[in-house]
Amino acid sequence: MIIAVLNQKGGVGKTTLSVNLAAALALSGQRSLLIDADPQGSALDWQAARKGQSLFPVVGLAKPILHKDVPGLAVGYDHVVIDGPPRVNELAKSAILAADAILIPVQPSPYDVWAADEIVKLIQEVALYKASLRGLFAITRKIGNTAIGRDVAAALKDYPYPVAATAIGQRVVFAESAATGLSVLEAEPKGSAAKEIRSLLREVLES
């Protein structure tokens, strides 16, 4: 499966999800590839911070012809994760064309719900030519059992894609592990963050 993690709003946790989902796949015995399609190159920076052998390769490919190159790159891998650009443009469209499923991270904020509209419209535009394309929202950086987290999930139900039952909490381990090029599944394999990533991955694969 090719999974693209996309949202036009920055700071929603795209790279965090991309890196940790790829790690969860690799640690479960799946051959995974992470494509950094964000011109900022955050996933490549994560890889550069790592000491020792990586769980999976990271390839930088921030080009609007991404969808033409991905099939060749995907040969030999069970799953490919694409860390998409932080805006709706031709590069984002190319990532959608390349993908089987789109994961849309959204923070518990009304601004994020409003910003989701553009990426949803772009996915729907591509879906006219690719009927099998699937979409899934994931609430990220959620703080406890707060009302705003529940409100955002309710607001997102107005869109044509489901909201994952698994929300990713705001946890220090995500930043601490990223600083050393690790995933949360390596830093705290039995921690809450690792459990949330594994749970979200199951939902993505079953979506």
Side-chain angles (χ1 to χ4, degrees), residues 13-199:
K14 285 189 306 79
T15 301
T16 296
L17 281 186
S18 299
V19 163
N20 283 285
L21 289 173
L25 286 164
L27 290 168
S28 70
Q30 302 291 304
R31 292 166 297 176
S32 63
L33 169 68
L34 177 58
I35 294 178
D36 190 342
D38 185 342
Q40 295 176 351
S42 298
L44 288 169
D45 289 340
W46 171 85
Q47 184 189 48
R50 186 181 181 93
K51 296 179 181 178
Q53 187 174 359
S54 181
L55 295 173
F56 51 85
V58 181
V59 176
L61 197 62
K63 299 178 181 179
I65 56 167
L66 175 68
H67 59 287
K68 296 180 180 179
D69 294 334
V70 167
L73 291 170
V75 173
Y77 293 98
D78 299 305
H79 299 283
V80 176
V81 179
I82 301 172
D83 181 16
R87 60 187 58 85
V88 172
N89 54 18
E90 288 303 308
L91 180 51
K93 186 175 182 179
S94 185
I96 295 170
L97 282 166
D100 301 307
I102 312 299
L103 182 63
I104 311 166
V106 179
Q107 291 184 103
S109 156
Y111 300 107
D112 282 61
V113 175
W114 300 331
D117 192 61
E118 286 193 49
I119 193 68
V120 167
K121 287 178 180 175
L122 188 60
I123 295 169
Q124 289 178 307
E125 178 186 327
V126 174
L128 293 174
Y129 310 98
K130 193 173 182 180
S132 61
L133 190 62
R134 293 167 285 165
L136 180 69
F137 284 106
I139 297 175
T140 59
R141 297 184 172 178
K142 184 179 178 183
I143 301 174
N145 189 27
T146 56
I148 192 169
R150 295 190 295 272
D151 291 346
V152 167
L156 289 172
K157 289 181 180 178
D158 292 335
Y159 288 110
Y161 303 115
V163 180
T166 305
I168 305 299
Q170 173 79 304
R171 304 184 190 284
V172 173
V173 68
F174 282 112
E176 290 180 340
S177 59
T180 54
L182 295 176
S183 67
V184 295
L185 295 97
E186 297 167 282
E188 293 183 5
K190 296 183 179 180
S192 296
K195 290 177 182 177
E196 289 168 357
I197 290 294
R198 292 190 195 98
S199 179

